[in-house]
Amino acid sequence: MRTDSPVTISRYDYQPYPYDIQAVELQFDLDSESSQVLIRFEAHSKGPTPTPLILDGEELKLLSVSLNGVLLPTTDFKAEENSLTLYPKQTKNIVEIVSVCKPALNTTLMGLYVSGAHLFTQCEAQGFRRIAYFPDRPDVMATYKVVLRAKKAHYPILLSNGNLLASEDLEAGYHQAIWEDPFPKPSYLFALVAGDFDVRSKEIQKASGAKALLQVYSDKGDYANTEWAMQCLENSVRWDEQRFGLELDLDRFMIVAAHDFNMGAMENKGLNIFNAAYVLAHPSTTTDSSYQAIEAVIGHEYFHNWTGNRVTCKDWFQLSLKEGLTVFRDQEFSADMQAQGLDGVEALSARAVKRIDDVSILRSAQFPEDAGPMAHPIRPESYEEISNFYTATIYEKGAEVIRMLHTLLGEQDFQAGMREYFARHDGQAVSCDDFLDALDTIYRQRGPEYTLETFRRWYEQAGTPTVAVQLDYDETQRSATVTLTQRNPAVGIETRHAHEKPPLHIPFRLGMLNAQGQTQAFSLDGQTHTDVILNLQQSSQSWHLSDLRERPVLSLLRQFSAPIKVEYYRSDAELSLLAQHDPEPFARWEAMQLLLTRHLLAAEHSARQNRPVLLQTFLALIQDKTLSPAYLARILSLPSERELLEQTRPMNPQRVVQAKRTLQQDLGLGLAPYWQELYQYHQQSGAYQSDALSAGKRALKNLALNYLAAAGVSTALQLALRQFNDANNMTDQLAALSVLVHYAPPEHKQAALEQFYTQWQHKPLVIDRWFSLQACAPDTDTEKVRGLMLHPAFTLRNPNRARSLIFQFCINNLGAVHTQAGYSFWAEQVLALDKLNPEIAARLARVFDNWARFELPIQSELKAALEHIAAQTQLSANVREIILKALTL
Ligand code: B3K
Ligand code: ZN
């Protein structure tokens, strides 16, 4: 906990570290109460005269410092709260430091900490300094040799990065393992694990023919729940070989599941540590969306082995270099896995489902961030606390930027650019510019007008651009002019010196339909197209399209070709036509979303009058036999409350909640027989299958059940109860419980919740879902949440549990959290969490970033809650940065 004044770190202050650090050796005497760590490394001054050698260290007890074999008296070094400075006299030095840390007292889950009966580490971004004194920055890369010693009875398995060199028993019940990682790495990729685990192992043959050992470690008794993780890991290895030509560079690759973990997972070299929620899977306990999330996260961490580990970041401002690129890679991996074995329209539709899911996340998490006080470019200019910058912008918008590069270059040239990037920078710590330079070299080979110079602005500019579309159709000439005009207004802190920013390079994919909804070809620059990418690079540009048989219906921003907002007025009839016929499945879904959003946000009276067009469009979609169940489930779902809220001005949560409830009810009632039919038709018998087709059927069936229940159809609750009791998988059981929690009378709801708890009380990941469902229930208020916090299964110390109850309530229960009591509860929990785990507390602190855009009195009530937090004297740097930035605006 820090109370000193905030320090802003600027991208322009970068200085290379004055020493080359080589050959790090670590010796750990592990114990949960107190672990002793010896670190030894060579430090060679880069300049001819040695400068002070400044090392980072946090919450460490320093025992001894030696320089070149000489134990230093305390007068010969400077030990401060967060650093240790040595004063070498020669350019080549050997440093040896012994310190102690306290894993059991470490509730931050950064550095070395205890989870259950195990010890884990988390070092990214700045956790290594909580383990040993060292230059804890990503551009200091070294090889590591690690000796782990511990009581064998407590910690029979001892793991670290790289290859196991030796393991042996020692005296008095102790044992040791020696690991060596041959690849130079920054300290943030260091990891160790100690404990007793079940291990699933599989030997595979790499593309080159060499063998590698894949392993998944889990708590004792969880062996049966790691089959899916192993399959995903093997698929990841294969996919990276086949699509990117990148092979696993190690003989051994390990994944370990931890129940206490701050985020999803961590890509430590050869020893990935995972939140158990992204490893453990079993049909009876894991939903379809979790199966897919596990696949995505396992892929993501594995893909970091090249994009992040082999080539890493020069400084933390370059975080999107590894994160945006790796999210793009995991998104493509998941899309390829979902489309596996399909071709043509079916493959397109499967990929579109993944794209829809990704864009929905972008819109509900990143768009608001980009319009609020934390708005930052994908390469930020400054930060106070780096862990606050693991944001949707760095990850999700970063991935969109890479996707645009992929669109501009095409798969073949994009891969050539990747090869160029690795040829230039393998083994280095580099910048986003270095990445762009490699791709630009390939792109420029096409001709003088092909350059990424304008495109680079995506790395400098925050904010979601808006592109207005204008269509001028000339009936006599059978031609049209399409004009795109972009706006990049000031956002966040920029609004203080309001200025419009320069235009970006926006690849805008466009297609055309005729009035019957058939594809309409057109000519552009002498060539015939059915689909084209317009390269918008100026504030406003026009394209002249000819050979049009009739007035076109525009299909805009196909595949969501850029992370922007489109402005273009269309009638309900035109949106309905696109929703029924657009051959590009993303734009088709988008048209339906626009139509639904318009109805949801319209005044209730006019919205209800216009219901027929919605009902007719839904009906046409339900009866369209070419659509896959997964796609149908997406296109028939309403936009999330959070996405809708973003579109109300000023933001009005109660209106959104009410509008969604009413529309669900109307669609439920208006199409009841069809929902009933869909529900019956997509029942599956036999053993659970996690594949995309089976998951799609479950999603559609459960959506139908939800509509029936929302409409108050008498049989819906009986169907839900039967499904709840008979389900052979967690997707169906949880969907049924959700229906009961939302729509059943209180006594039935309570009975179902109790039954579920009794059934799953020994499965923490399922109990997280039990808390979440209740956190989001319409009749839950702060008193109910406080009651649940007293439940013996609740603890604030476990991030998954805190997220399942407190975060879910504050983020997703819009009806209940937007009350005076809700805001006080939120502020109270931010402060309580801040005492334990500042990184997690700062995440909760961000929930009301956009307080100033709410209607009154919400706005002033939220401001008061923020001010209450700001007034505390003992805030962490993490929470303080978030709250003060929110209040500055
Ligand atoms: N690189 C880690 C994130 C670390 C966050 C630290 N506060 C997980 C990932 O993106 O793969
Ligand atoms: Zn990552």
Side-chain angles (χ1 to χ4, degrees):
M1 202 67 45
R2 297 171 216 162
T3 48
D4 46 337
S5 52
V7 179
T8 299
I9 300 167
S10 160
R11 186 159 78 81
Y12 302 97
D13 291 345
Y14 175 84
Q15 295 285 340
Y17 195 66
Y19 284 84
D20 276 323
I21 305 290
Q22 292 164 6
V24 174
E25 283 179 41
L26 285 158
Q27 287 178 28
F28 285 86
D29 285 296
L30 293 166
D31 176 78
S32 63
E33 295 303 318
S34 172
S35 286
Q36 182 168 308
V37 184
L38 179 150
I39 185 164
R40 184 189 300 122
F41 53 88
E42 290 177 32
H44 296 182
S45 169
K46 287 178 181 164
T49 340
T51 56
L53 178 63
I54 305 172
L55 308 173
D56 302 298
E58 233 176 71
E59 303 207 4
L60 296 177
K61 187 172 153 204
L62 180 60
L63 296 189
S64 69
V65 184
S66 301
L67 190 58
N68 302 316
V70 180
L71 195 65
L72 299 184
T74 52
T75 46
D76 282 6
F77 57 85
K78 188 160 82 180
E80 291 172 294
E81 198 185 346
N82 294 323
S83 69
L84 175 68
T85 308
L86 313 188
Y87 304 92
K89 302 276 180 303
Q90 53 200 59
T91 54
K92 294 198 169 181
N93 301 281
I94 295 180
V95 178
E96 190 174 302
I97 301 166
V98 182
S99 59
V100 166
C101 59
K102 308 247 175 218
L105 295 181
N106 182 1
T107 58
T108 68
L109 312 189
M110 284 294 278
L112 180 62
Y113 67 91
V114 174
S115 173
H118 319 300
L119 292 172
F120 292 101
T121 54
Q122 171 56 35
C123 292
E124 186 175 1
Q126 297 179 330
F128 190 77
R129 62 190 63 186
R130 299 170 62 86
I131 295 174
Y133 285 100
F134 194 68
D136 191 13
R137 43 185 284 171
D139 58 345
V140 172
M141 297 171 83
T143 56
Y144 282 64
K145 186 172 173 185
V146 180
V147 180
L148 302 173
R149 283 190 289 266
K151 261 202 184 127
K152 196 168 183 178
H154 291 171
Y155 304 112
I157 294 179
L158 301 170
L159 309 174
S160 191
N161 317 84
N163 301 316
L164 181 64
L165 293 189
S167 56
E168 60 180 321
D169 286 344
L170 305 171
E171 286 173 359
Y174 283 79
H175 71 145
Q176 74 172 17
I178 304 175
W179 292 82
E180 188 174 49
D181 180 2
F183 292 97
K185 65 169 177 284
S187 52
Y188 84 83
L189 290 174
F190 166 80
L192 78 79
V193 170
D196 195 5
F197 300 96
D198 274 349
V199 55
R200 177 183 293 274
S201 301
K202 182 164 187 183
E203 193 178 68
I204 59 157
Q205 195 166 27
K206 299 191 264 188
S208 61
K211 298 250 188 320
L213 178 66
L214 307 182
Q215 294 189 308
V216 181
Y217 292 79
S218 57
D219 276 8
K220 284 270 170 205
D222 267 328
Y223 181 84
N225 303 322
T226 55
E227 197 180 332
W228 175 242
M230 180 59 90
Q231 197 178 318
C232 292
L233 179 57
E234 192 180 353
N235 291 343
S236 304
V237 176
R238 298 284 169 242
W239 182 85
D240 219 10
E241 288 174 349
Q242 285 157 16
R243 176 100 187 249
F244 277 73
L246 296 171
E247 191 174 286
L248 175 59
D249 55 8
L250 295 158
D251 303 336
R252 180 174 182 146
F253 190 92
M254 298 170 278
I255 285 179
V256 189
H259 277 280
D260 299 274
F261 206 70
N262 278 353
M263 60 276 152
M266 179 63 214
E267 70 264 24
N268 317 299
K269 185 81 188 181
L271 179 58
N272 287 190
I273 300 181
F274 270 62
N275 185 328
Y278 296 99
V279 177
L280 305 180
H282 190 275
S284 62
T285 55
T286 309
T287 60
D288 292 330
S289 51
S290 288
Y291 267 86
Q292 278 162 25
I294 291 168
E295 179 180 75
V297 180
I298 290 193
H300 181 96
E301 305 312 328
Y302 176 76
F303 305 142
H304 265 315
N305 191 47
W306 278 93
T307 51
N309 300 4
R310 282 289 283 257
V311 183
T312 193
C313 302
K314 186 187 86 164
D315 59 33
W316 290 119
F317 295 103
Q318 318 301 328
L319 186 55
S320 203
L321 170 76
K322 73 178 179 83
E323 295 305 347
L325 179 55
T326 307
V327 171
F328 169 75
R329 276 155 51 71
D330 85 52
Q331 289 176 348
E332 284 297 289
F333 166 61
S334 296
D336 286 348
M337 297 310 287
Q338 281 174 37
Q340 211 177 25
L342 305 174
D343 42 34
V345 175
E346 286 183 338
L348 209 65
S349 162
R351 294 186 70 86
V353 166
K354 172 66 179 151
R355 191 76 189 117
I356 289 166
D357 292 347
D358 292 338
V359 173
S360 301
I361 293 171
L362 183 82
R363 282 191 177 140
S364 57
Q366 199 279 326
F367 279 19
E369 178 170 273
D370 229 349
M374 273 292 284
H376 54 276
I378 60 167
R379 182 180 53 200
E381 296 293 312
S382 66
Y383 60 78
E384 288 171 26
E385 176 56 56
I386 185 57
S387 44
N388 286 337
F389 281 78
Y390 285 75
T391 58
T393 298
I394 301 290
Y395 278 68
E396 271 70 37
K397 188 176 178 182
E400 292 298 322
V401 170
I402 302 292
R403 185 172 294 278
M404 287 189 286
L405 287 167
H406 184 267
T407 302
L408 293 177
L409 274 82
E411 170 72 4
Q412 214 176 345
D413 279 359
F414 182 82
Q415 293 298 348
M418 291 296 297
R419 285 193 293 277
E420 182 68 21
Y421 172 60
F422 289 117
R424 291 182 189 184
H425 300 298
D426 189 10
Q428 298 173 7
V430 303
S431 70
C432 298
D433 281 323
D434 294 321
F435 177 76
L436 284 166
D437 288 345
L439 266 64
D440 205 14
T441 303
I442 303 297
Y443 195 45
R444 281 171 191 264
Q445 289 169 359
R446 295 183 186 188
E449 71 273 31
Y450 292 93
T451 148
L452 298 176
E453 280 321 300
T454 308
F455 190 87
R456 281 176 200 263
R457 292 183 189 146
W458 282 104
Y459 285 79
E460 290 154 20
Q461 288 180 198
T464 307
T466 301
V467 172
V469 181
Q470 193 186 324
L471 169 70
D472 295 299
Y473 175 63
D474 184 336
E475 198 172 346
T476 52
Q477 297 293 320
R478 301 210 174 268
S479 69
T481 303
V482 173
T483 304
L484 302 182
T485 306
Q486 59 173 304
R487 271 185 304 141
N488 294 286
V491 287
I493 201 82
E494 299 166 348
T495 50
R496 292 166 134 203
H497 343 264
H499 64 289
E500 185 81 13
K501 290 167 293 193
L504 295 164
H505 184 167
I506 297 173
F508 195 101
R509 190 182 282 273
L510 171 89
M512 291 187 172
L513 273 63
N514 64 18
Q516 284 70 49
Q518 290 154 331
T519 295
Q520 186 171 190
F522 52 91
S523 295
L524 175 66
D525 299 332
Q527 282 185 322
T528 305
H529 301 269
T530 52
D531 181 279
V532 76
I533 292 180
L534 305 177
N535 277 295
L536 176 63
Q537 303 198 57
Q538 294 157 21
S539 295
S540 188
Q541 269 171 270
S542 296
W543 287 264
H544 188 70
L545 315 171
S546 54
D547 299 330
L548 286 162
R549 288 173 177 242
E550 57 180 276
R551 181 185 179 81
V553 174
L554 299 182
S555 166
L556 299 172
L557 201 69
R558 287 182 154 183
Q559 296 175 10
F560 198 70
S561 62
I564 60 169
K565 293 180 184 167
V566 176
E567 274 177 9
Y568 181 59
Y569 180 76
R570 304 173 185 276
S571 63
D572 280 9
E574 190 168 307
L575 287 173
S576 174
L577 178 87
L578 284 160
Q580 291 176 61
H581 300 292
D582 196 326
E584 199 287 295
F586 181 86
R588 183 176 183 175
W589 170 82
E590 179 79 328
M592 190 69 239
Q593 289 288 297
L594 285 170
L595 191 56
L596 287 165
T597 304
R598 178 178 295 172
H599 281 249
L600 283 159
L601 299 181
E604 194 178 336
H605 173 68
S606 77
R608 282 207 133 149
Q609 264 189 344
N610 291 323
R611 289 291 196 248
V613 65
L614 279 187
L615 290 169
Q616 282 153 16
T617 315
F618 261 42
L619 187 55
L621 290 166
I622 290 171
Q623 291 176 333
D624 185 338
K625 296 292 170 235
T626 66
L627 299 177
S628 72
Y631 183 79
L632 202 49
R634 267 58 172 195
I635 204 165
L636 300 178
S637 291
L638 304 188
S640 73
E641 287 175 351
R642 288 179 66 76
E643 277 174 79
L644 289 168
L645 182 62
E646 273 301 304
Q647 300 194 41
T648 54
R649 303 251 180 296
M651 296 204 291
N652 180 337
Q654 303 304 345
R655 186 176 142 215
V656 163
V657 172
Q658 193 48 47
K660 202 166 164 183
R661 215 169 271 171
T662 314
L663 183 56
Q664 257 168 343
Q665 206 173 11
D666 290 358
L667 290 169
L669 264 182
L671 297 165
Y674 300 96
W675 298 126
Q676 237 138 8
E677 201 182 307
L678 279 175
Y679 182 77
Q680 299 305 343
Y681 185 74
H682 290 291
Q683 295 286 351
Q684 296 172 74
S685 51
Y688 169 89
Q689 305 287 337
S690 69
D691 65 279
L693 180 63
S694 312
K697 289 181 178 179
R698 280 185 289 274
L700 186 55
K701 178 191 73 175
N702 289 324
L703 181 77
L705 181 61
N706 208 69
Y707 273 120
L708 288 171
V713 171
S714 57
T715 51
L717 294 178
Q718 289 153 20
L719 293 176
L721 197 58
R722 194 164 67 207
Q723 179 172 319
F724 175 68
N725 285 315
D726 297 349
N728 71 347
N729 65 83
M730 186 47 72
T731 306
D732 283 344
Q733 197 184 17
L734 207 60
L737 182 59
S738 169
V739 164
L740 296 171
V741 164
H742 276 77
Y743 303 106
E747 61 282 9
H748 292 171
K749 163 183 167 169
Q750 212 41 46
L753 280 167
E754 279 166 26
Q755 184 185 328
F756 189 84
Y757 184 81
T758 311
Q759 187 180 356
W760 298 115
Q761 56 187 309
H762 302 300
K763 296 282 178 194
L765 299 174
V766 183
I767 295 306
D768 287 337
R769 311 300 288 253
W770 181 80
F771 277 112
S772 295
L773 261 188
Q774 297 180 79
C776 299
D779 61 351
T780 291
D781 57 12
T782 50
E783 282 322 296
K784 181 78 192 290
V785 180
R786 285 182 202 283
L788 284 165
M789 287 176 72
L790 296 175
H791 192 281
F794 186 80
T795 165
L796 210 50
R797 284 178 184 243
N798 175 263
N800 285 358
R801 202 47 53 94
R803 282 188 279 255
S804 72
L805 180 59
I806 294 166
F807 282 56
Q808 281 298 322
F809 176 73
C810 293
I811 295 172
N812 288 325
N813 199 333
L814 296 191
V817 78
H818 284 289
T819 56
Q820 284 270 19
Y823 305 147
S824 313
F825 173 78
W826 165 74
E828 187 185 307
Q829 298 312 317
V830 169
L831 294 172
L833 270 168
D834 202 29
K835 299 216 180 324
L836 298 169
N837 189 329
E839 189 177 347
I840 299 292
R843 297 258 159 190
L844 186 63
R846 290 211 48 198
V847 171
F848 297 121
D849 267 8
N850 288 328
W851 62 274
R853 286 167 44 215
F854 280 93
E855 63 176 11
L856 284 168
I858 295 182
Q859 193 186 107
S860 39
E861 289 166 3
L862 275 172
K863 188 172 186 212
L866 283 155
E867 283 167 344
H868 171 71
I869 299 177
Q872 309 299 311
T873 49
Q874 290 280 302
L875 286 183
S876 67
N878 309 54
V879 167
R880 184 179 52 200
E881 177 176 25
I882 300 299
I883 299 292
L884 294 189
K885 281 186 172 160
L887 282 170
T888 328
L889 222 59

